[in-house]
Amino acid sequence: MRSLPLPLALTARLSPVAVLACAGWALTSGPAAPPAAGHGTAQNTSAGSADSSGSAAAAPSAASAAKTYSAAPAPCASLPSATLKSLVPGAKTAGQEIPSTDTTLRRTCSWNALHGYDYRWLDVSFEIGASDAEVRKEYEQRVAEKSGGGAVPGLGDGAYSVVNLTTEDKQQTREGVVLARVANALVVVTYSGSDFENKKAPATDEINKGAIKAAKSAVAALGGGRG
C-alpha cells in the first residue's frame, strides 16, 4: 500500500506532545470568623473565647466537607483498554501524560495513532476546583463558548457535547468535545479523526459517540480522586 504525505497542520499533531500549558485553580478556603468582642466579667470573656475557637475550628471542616474531590485521578488509567483500542486503533494503551504545573489540580492524558490511513487523537483531562459553584461557573462559561452542541443526559451533574469540522489544505478533520461536571471536578474529553487517503473526516455520529463513550469512562474514574 502506497504511503501518502501528511498535511503539515496534522503532521505536527502526530508528534508526541511536549508541553501543555495548564492554569490550575487555587484551592482556597474562607477565613475563620473573628472572635466576638468581649464585654463583662472574666467568665463571659472566657466563654466568648471558647465560642470563637469553636467557630474557627468549624469553618475549615465545613469547607472540607463541601469539596468532594481533592485531587485529579491518574488520567492515563481512566479508560479501559478495550475502549482505547476501539477509539484509537494502534495507539499504546498506556497513553502519554501531559506535563502539568500542578498535578493535584489538573492532569491530562493523550493517545494518538495512524492506523493505515486513519488518524485518531484522544485527550482526557481532569480539572479540580475549589468548590462545586466554581466548577459550575467554569462549565457554563465553556459551554457558552462552544455553539452548536447539546446536552448529554445522565452524565455527571451536567454534560455537553459538540462536534466541529475543519478543513486545511483540502484535508478534513472532525473534532468532538465533551464537557462534564461532577461536584467540584470538570472532565474534558477531546476526540478527533481524519482519513488521509480520501481526505475526508469520520462521520459526526462516530466522533460524537466516541467522545461521549470516553467521557463516561473518565467520569467513572473520578472515584479515585475523592478526598
Side-chain angles (χ1 to χ4, degrees):
M1 186 159 42
R2 63 187 181 88
S3 61
L4 297 179
L6 305 183
L8 294 177
L10 291 169
T11 301
R13 271 200 106 179
L14 291 173
S15 302
V17 179
V19 177
L20 178 67
C22 302
W25 290 319
L27 298 177
T28 58
S29 56
H39 294 285
T41 63
Q43 182 177 358
N44 290 338
T45 301
S46 175
S49 178
D51 290 341
S52 176
S53 297
S55 298
S61 176
S64 176
K67 190 168 63 175
T68 304
Y69 301 102
S70 60
C76 292
S78 62
L79 271 61
S81 59
T83 298
L84 290 169
K85 290 177 180 178
S86 68
L87 296 180
V88 193
K92 294 181 178 179
T93 56
Q96 178 181 353
E97 184 161 357
I98 308 303
S100 172
T101 55
D102 190 335
T103 55
T104 299
L105 301 180
R106 175 167 179 159
R107 296 181 71 176
T108 300
C109 191
S110 182
W111 297 264
N112 65 88
L114 181 63
H115 187 66
Y117 292 100
D118 290 327
Y119 172 67
R120 296 293 184 274
W121 179 288
L122 175 65
D123 284 345
V124 174
S125 295
F126 295 98
E127 301 176 18
I128 306 300
S131 66
D132 293 16
E134 180 180 285
V135 170
R136 186 183 302 110
K137 181 179 180 181
E138 178 69 17
Y139 168 82
E140 291 172 352
Q141 288 178 344
R142 296 196 193 186
V143 167
E145 294 170 357
K146 299 180 180 297
S147 61
V152 181
L155 183 58
D157 296 326
Y160 176 87
S161 71
V162 61
V163 178
N164 289 306
L165 176 69
T166 59
T167 303
E168 188 168 348
D169 296 332
K170 298 182 180 180
Q171 173 65 61
Q172 293 183 344
T173 298
R174 186 164 269 119
E175 179 179 89
V177 176
V178 175
L179 301 169
R181 63 178 183 85
V182 185
N184 65 308
L186 183 65
V187 176
V188 183
V189 170
T190 303
Y191 182 51
S192 64
S194 299
D195 186 320
F196 293 139
E197 184 172 31
N198 59 26
K199 294 188 176 293
K200 301 295 183 180
T204 298
D205 195 50
E206 177 186 342
I207 293 298
N208 189 47
K209 286 183 176 179
I212 292 174
K213 183 177 182 179
K216 287 180 177 179
S217 293
V219 167
L222 273 170
R226 290 186 179 276

